[in-house]
Every structure is written in C-alpha cells, then in structure tokens.
Amino acid sequence: MGADSPTGLSVDLKVPQEQGVGGLAEADLKEAVVRLPAGLTVSPSAANGLGACTPAEIGLTTPAAPSCPDSSKVGSVRIVTPLLAAPLQGTVYLAQQGNLAGNGSNPFGSLLALYLVAEGSGALVKIPGEVTLDPVTGQITARFGEDPATSAATGQPQFLPQLPFSELQMKFFGGPRAPLATPAGCGAFQTTSALAPWSGNAPATPSDSFTVGSGCGGGFAPAFSGGTTKNRAGAFSPLTVTISRADGEQRLGGVQLTTPPGLLGVVRSVARCPEPQASQGACGPESQIGESTVASGAGGDPFWVRGGRVYLTGPYRGAPFGLSIVVPPVAGPFNLGNVVVRAAISIDPHTAQITITSDPLPTIVQGVPLDIRVVNVTVDRPGFILNPTSCAQLSIGGTITAAGGATASVSGRFQAADCAALAFTPTLSALTLARTTKVNGAHLHVKVASGAGQANIAKVKVDLPKQLPSRLTTLHNACRDAVFNANPAACPAGSVVGTASAVTPLLASALTGPAYLVSHASAAFPDLVFVLQGEGVTLDLVGNTDIAHGITSETFAAVPDAPISSFDAAFPQGPDSILAAYGSLCAKPLTMPTAITAQDGAVIRRTTRVSVSGCAKPKRAKRAGRVTGARRSSTSHRRK
C-alpha cells in the first residue's frame, strides 16, 4: 500500500455462533465502535460527483426500501446470519450532512454518517452509523449502535437489532475517488474496536493492522508559475500565480512571494476591507480584486474548489495593506463553511517591490484534511495591476513553506514588452531666492513632473549652479548611517535639510517627508535621502552626493519603477541650510545641467534654467532732452 493515496477499505467482523459448553451461544452485538488508525483520513478527492442520502430517502422508520441516489453509494455490505439460508446483501450509503449545531439531516446531526442497507430472503435491514472526525488529526471513529431517530419515534432506546450474525463485511470503494486516503508516512497502522454485547459483559476489543510501505519520501519540491496575462509595458493586466505539489510530498503550509520591480497595484481605486470583516470573510464586492481556485485531495483526480474571492484589506501584521482570501469549501454534498486565509502586503522602501506573506495555510477543517494540491490566485480587477515600464528580464518568486517546516525557493521569469512605444517627456524646473545671507544660506525648490502613460523615471542627475555651492558646515551635521538605518527620527536636527512630496496615481494621498543628510564611513560626502511616507507606505529615495571644483552633483541612481505625477523638493534657508550663495544670484543666469533616464533606458539631457525670485527690476535708461529754439539762440550769441 502506498502513502498519501486514495484507498478503499475492507472491514470484516466475525462473531462465532457455535454453542459453547453448557449450550450457551455467543451474545449478540449491541454496539460497535471502530477507530481507524491516525493518518487514515477522509479524502477530499471523493467529493467528485458524490451525493448524499436524505432522511426521507433512507426511511429509517419505515419498512420500505430506500430510494437513495446512486451517487451516495460509498461501499457494499454483506451480512451472514444463521437465521437465513443466504447472506443479506446491500449497500453503504453516505448520509446527508448535519449542521454545526449538532442537528440536521442525519440521525446524529453529525458532519458524516452512514447507512447500512442489506436485504435478502424477504428481510430488509437499515442501520445508521455515526462517523466522527478528530478536529486536529482527522482520525475517524465509526459507531453503530443506538439509532436516535428510531429512539425518538418509539420513546425507547434502540440499539443494533438483537439478532445473531456470524459475519459482517463492509467494503468501501477504491479508485481515484475512494472515500479514504492512506497515511503520509510508512509503517504499520492499527485499527481498534470496542464491541459491546447485549449480555452486559465488558466489550470485546479486537484489532487489526495494515502496512504502508511505499511512496513515503516526504520531499518538498513545489511547482510554481506566475506573471501577468498581458505583458505590454506600463499597461494594465490580470496577474495570476499558481503553486502546486505532487502526491507524497509534504503539504503546503505557507507562501511568501515578491513581485518584480514595477509590477504594482492601483490601491486608490479599491475600497479596503476593514476589520473584523476581513478576518471573518465578510468583505464587500467593492474590495474584491480577484479570485482563487484550490484543488484538494490525494491521487490524480483531486477535487477542485472554485469561486474563491480575493479582497484587498487595510493594514495587516504591520504591513500597510493585506489580503483576505475566502475559499468556500463546498465539496460534493458537504459545506464546511468559509475558509479564510490572511496575508500581509509589504512595500520595499528602496524598490517599491511588493512582498505578500500569507498566514499558515489551513490543513484541516472540521476534521477533514484539506490536503491542498494546487492553489491559484488571479488578481483581475480592471485597472488594478500595472506592468513595469522596464523591459529588462526580471523574476517573480519567493519561498513556499511546507506544513512540516521544509522550505523551497521558487522563481519564474518575468519580462515586459514594447517599452519603446512608451512616451518619455518629463520636465524639471528649479527656483531660488535672490535674497541670501551668510548665516541662512540659499533656498532651492526643484520640481519634476511626468504625464500619464509614460515610461517611469529610473535615474536623475543634476549639477547645481556654481553660484549655489554646498555648505560644508551643514555637511558635517549628517546623520550616521547606523543611526539612520535604525530610526531616522533619532538623527540630529541639523541633518534635516529639506522636505519633499511625491504624487502618484497609485495612492489616494501624496507621499511626503523630510530630506536627510546621511554619512557613510567609506564615502567622501553624505547622501541626500528623502524619506517619503503616506498610507502606511515608506519609500527612501537616495541621492549620491559629489562635489568637484565647487559644483555639487546629486545622482538618484535607483528610482523605483512607479508612476510619479510630480515630485517637489524644497531646501529652505536657515542655520542648517544645505546651500550657500556665491555672489549675486541675479548677476547672470543660473543653469543646472540635468540628465533624466527612463526605466526603458531612454535619456533626456538638457540644461535647466534656475529661476531667481526677488531680483530687482533693471532701471530704464533716461532719454536725451530736445534742444529748444531759445537754447539755439543763446548759443548763437556766443559765436564770435
């Protein structure tokens, strides 16, 4: 017998009927309790095409033959009794599900129940059996004894008929849709029982065992695929991710995936599902961003659960956003209630990449092992997922964790196309103030703007005018990188030299924050770092500083591949201003050579004119006066 595979089951109970010494026969069976070994569980694969028998169809309190559907048959039964010349033959039917309150559509109100129906020689026997599942391990216990429905109808406890039988055989169907699945590990597994007689003596406890001897490797090498269905750069497209594992491998336990740079979601277009609705699986359609599909069960024909919903939520587990993935585990005639899986969505502060980290995946619901084989999540809300504007070869992937603790790294190739079709016409402007002082230095305001649907900016380099040099006294106030990395708020006040604001169509509000000077032991000059925050998102935009021949250059070499409508940076005057002024800023034009590089590699180079506010207007030249006739006359008098 192989591990982690669909299996049938044969149960053969023999009760000797020979009379013993003194003419006494074996007592008749009053109640039978059979406990299958831990690891032998219900198989979700059995739900394919499975039906159930209703109370009306079985008719336990009537002498009529049952009318249960063929789809509810899960096995056969054979009963040999000395009272009849031929054995009774029949069927094992699956009963309709009871509800969580312990009542409903079978005599026990249980999730699972069976009906044994056997007939022959004009006799008809209908016996109900309760099946309970351990909620943690899924271990199966079957009890054939008191019939609650018959007891209620007669007002007296009704147990198994006090009739002799020498053998009772039950055989549950095998094949890919068998009702049971073998344990995942190899070894010997014992079935135990407690058989109570009508005599009132102590129950007999016979047992038996079987061996699982193959397919017990227990490795973990899940398959992975992921990407957008349309790869045009900068365009909207559904995103789909699929994870699967093979039979015999450890079961899926958790997922952490990181998207390629530039593959982002337009969060502002979706209402975030609040708590407690997100945890309860009760989000509204305004928060839905996609769908999920799950395949469960051992063997080559797992049961597919479709119709799962994926919702965007507010902050979760310290991340600015989250997911609520709601899967309705309706399997054949059973409804186990919604299964909700939560995940946190974090944003990398340097690349703006998205990392999705799920909570542990559920492995068992109401004692039914989910045995998840395939998980597919498709985010297909129109106008939500946006492709990168870089056509470099990238990847999507992460780490898949097994329920047993093993991990596997997965990765898939990702590459956008048609980057050359994207426009790239960003603008850069700069403004300073004419009034400067040695104490308060100079002011500078820089703005970068870009239109919708263009390639995103990847790199910006500016050379400040020579008339606006860096102040060495302020550079000395830079925050040490160890302090900044631990907590920027702990940096000295003198290291904060400006503020910035970035507007993106992805978020409803702008990202804003201070600009820090951050020193590195190996660098000659400190970096200029903008710490931008909004809606729980933090981005660090790093500019490398270089000063040569009195000219300060700033190079932002790693701008995230994200659409930015406008970026404003202001460096005010004051005791800690970053810039000084060399001479009059109004004396001659101030120019700032700039180079802006797109994510697709396009480069725009220009010389930006820095506007100066507050320069005195130039005085107009006086016109020469006309020579009057009287003056001509006076002059003529002096002629000799």
Side-chain angles (χ1 to χ4, degrees):
M1 182 180 291
D4 193 23
S5 59
T7 184
L9 182 70
S10 294
V11 178
D12 192 356
L13 173 61
K14 295 182 179 180
V15 182
Q17 295 300 310
E18 296 85 357
Q19 289 185 347
V21 178
L24 294 177
E26 291 279 339
D28 296 327
L29 185 64
K30 178 180 181 181
E31 183 179 59
V33 178
V34 178
R35 177 167 294 179
L36 301 182
L40 184 66
T41 59
V42 172
S43 174
S45 298
N48 285 302
L50 186 64
C53 186
T54 68
E57 290 168 335
I58 189 65
L60 286 176
T61 59
T62 70
S67 58
C68 302
D70 286 345
S71 60
S72 66
K73 294 179 180 178
V74 293
S76 61
V77 63
R78 178 176 179 269
I79 302 174
V80 178
T81 172
L83 302 181
L84 298 175
L88 301 175
Q89 304 280 359
T91 302
V92 180
Y93 294 99
L94 179 67
Q96 192 173 28
Q97 173 186 352
N99 62 32
L100 296 178
N103 53 62
S105 297
N106 66 60
F108 312 97
S110 57
L111 175 67
L112 294 176
L114 299 174
Y115 297 128
L116 274 62
V117 179
E119 60 182 328
S121 303
L124 174 64
V125 176
K126 294 185 281 189
I127 304 173
E130 180 183 16
V131 178
T132 58
L133 307 177
D134 186 287
V136 177
T137 66
Q139 186 172 12
I140 302 170
T141 299
R143 183 177 69 89
F144 292 87
E146 182 181 0
D147 174 5
T150 306
S151 298
T154 62
Q156 298 292 328
Q158 297 293 315
F159 294 93
L160 293 177
Q162 192 172 352
L163 296 173
F165 68 89
S166 59
E167 186 175 15
L168 186 152
Q169 292 179 329
M170 284 191 295
K171 292 185 178 181
F172 292 91
F173 300 145
R177 298 183 181 181
L180 302 173
T182 57
C186 286
F189 297 86
Q190 187 178 52
T191 299
T192 61
S193 67
L195 308 178
W198 276 96
S199 64
N201 293 331
T205 57
S207 63
D208 196 9
S209 63
F210 62 86
T211 300
V212 175
S214 63
C216 309
F220 191 60
F224 169 81
S225 64
T228 50
T229 57
K230 301 176 182 177
N231 68 339
R232 183 171 173 268
F236 291 107
S237 172
L239 168 68
T240 183
V241 171
T242 302
I243 300 164
S244 62
R245 68 170 187 88
D247 271 341
E249 291 188 348
Q250 296 183 43
R251 297 184 178 174
L252 298 175
V255 179
Q256 184 179 75
L257 292 178
T258 299
T259 64
L263 185 64
L264 303 170
V266 184
V267 175
R268 67 179 299 173
S269 67
V270 183
R272 272 149 270 178
C273 181
E275 297 294 346
Q277 291 91 327
S279 295
Q280 296 171 348
C283 301
E286 67 279 1
S287 300
Q288 186 173 350
I289 59 173
E291 300 176 343
S292 69
T293 302
V294 176
S296 297
D301 191 17
F303 182 78
W304 289 87
V305 180
R306 308 183 191 277
R309 301 174 302 280
V310 182
Y311 299 98
L312 182 69
T313 77
Y316 184 67
R317 294 196 180 277
F321 312 109
L323 295 176
S324 176
I325 304 173
V326 183
V327 180
V330 178
F334 297 105
N335 186 341
L336 304 182
N338 284 336
V339 173
V340 181
V341 178
R342 299 300 307 277
I345 302 176
S346 56
I347 311 297
D348 187 281
H350 301 290
T351 65
Q353 284 178 270
I354 296 172
T355 295
I356 302 170
T357 305
S358 77
D359 285 353
L361 301 181
T363 57
I364 191 167
V365 177
Q366 296 188 50
V368 179
L370 297 183
D371 197 8
I372 298 173
R373 295 280 303 280
V374 181
V375 176
N376 171 267
V377 173
T378 298
V379 180
D380 56 2
R381 185 184 179 105
F384 183 69
I385 291 294
L386 192 63
N387 276 328
T389 62
S390 166
C391 285
Q393 183 170 319
L394 305 171
S395 65
I396 179 173
T399 301
I400 311 300
T401 304
T407 61
S409 297
V410 295
S411 181
R413 181 176 177 273
F414 185 98
Q415 190 168 23
D418 298 329
C419 285
L422 294 172
F424 188 58
T425 58
T427 61
L428 187 147
S429 59
L431 171 71
T432 188
L433 303 178
R435 184 177 178 83
T436 62
T437 67
K438 185 175 182 180
V439 174
N440 290 324
H443 168 92
L444 182 65
H445 178 200
V446 178
K447 181 175 182 178
V448 181
S450 181
Q454 299 191 24
N456 298 325
I457 295 173
K459 179 179 178 180
V460 177
K461 182 178 183 296
V462 297
D463 298 329
L464 298 182
K466 192 170 186 179
Q467 298 94 320
L468 294 173
S470 295
R471 298 179 76 182
L472 296 180
T473 55
T474 301
L475 294 179
H476 291 156
N477 293 332
C479 183
R480 292 184 293 112
D481 54 3
V483 176
F484 178 85
N485 292 335
N487 180 15
C491 290
S495 65
V496 179
V497 296
T499 60
S501 174
V503 177
T504 171
L506 304 181
L507 300 174
S509 58
L511 300 173
T512 61
Y516 292 88
L517 289 176
V518 180
S519 62
H520 305 275
S522 60
F525 303 102
D527 288 340
L528 178 64
V529 183
F530 296 100
V531 180
L532 305 176
Q533 295 179 313
E535 298 189 34
V537 176
T538 297
L539 291 179
D540 292 346
L541 188 60
V542 180
N544 302 122
T545 305
D546 185 47
I547 301 175
H549 308 295
I551 296 176
T552 299
S553 298
E554 288 290 343
T555 302
F556 296 88
V559 180
D561 188 358
I564 301 296
S565 305
S566 65
F567 176 83
D568 285 81
F571 304 94
Q573 294 174 314
D576 298 318
S577 64
I578 184 60
L579 299 176
Y582 180 75
S584 171
L585 301 183
C586 299
K588 59 180 181 179
L590 306 182
T591 58
M592 187 168 65
T594 62
I596 305 177
T597 305
Q599 292 286 342
D600 62 5
V603 181
I604 293 178
R605 291 184 173 87
R606 60 167 62 98
T607 298
T608 300
R609 177 79 174 265
V610 181
S611 301
V612 182
S613 176
C615 289
K617 294 181 180 180
K619 295 181 180 180
R620 295 182 179 180
K622 293 183 178 180
R623 295 183 180 181
R626 295 183 179 180
V627 179
T628 64
R631 189 170 182 174
R632 288 196 300 270
S633 175
S634 173
T635 302
S636 64
H637 290 164
R638 291 198 295 268
R639 288 181 180 175
K640 294 183 180 179

